[in-house]
Amino acid sequence: MSEIVFKVGDKVEWMHCSSNGNSMRFSSREGKIEILNPCYAQVKMRNGRKCWVHISDLTLPDQKNGVTKLFEVMTGGEVGGAK
């Protein structure tokens, strides 16, 4: 498996998980890399907020993100329209 090399200015996606009581919510987030260090990237989201995300959690927009992979595991196959 080849490692993806990210650079400042790349548009990226990642999966965000939040929980409330007995339920969990998985959502896909996207943004643009502003700062990179060896383990984390500071990403500016579409709403203007910034957050630090671990490099291993990031994917490029044309790749399967964590939410797509999760649904593939749950359904046992390809999710329609995913690359």
Side-chain angles (χ1 to χ4, degrees):
M1 180 172 138
S2 64
E3 186 106 2
I4 301 168
V5 178
F6 294 104
K7 55 188 180 296
V8 173
D10 281 350
K11 290 185 178 181
V12 291
E13 296 179 347
W14 68 99
M15 182 173 70
H16 177 77
C17 177
S18 57
S19 63
N20 185 9
N22 293 333
S23 64
M24 293 183 74
R25 178 181 171 152
F26 298 95
S27 59
S28 181
R29 300 258 173 111
E30 54 187 61
K32 186 185 281 189
I33 296 176
E34 290 198 328
I35 300 172
L36 274 173
N37 70 34
C39 295
Y40 290 90
Q42 184 181 47
V43 181
K44 184 175 183 180
M45 295 183 278
R46 295 184 307 166
N47 63 8
R49 293 183 181 162
K50 298 176 183 180
C51 66
W52 288 94
V53 182
H54 198 275
I55 296 289
S56 65
D57 294 337
L58 298 174
T59 59
L60 296 172
D62 60 343
Q63 296 179 320
K64 291 180 183 177
N65 63 23
V67 176
T68 304
K69 291 177 185 176
L70 174 67
F71 278 106
E72 285 181 355
V73 170
M74 291 172 59
T75 61
E78 285 284 317
V79 175
K83 294 181 181 178

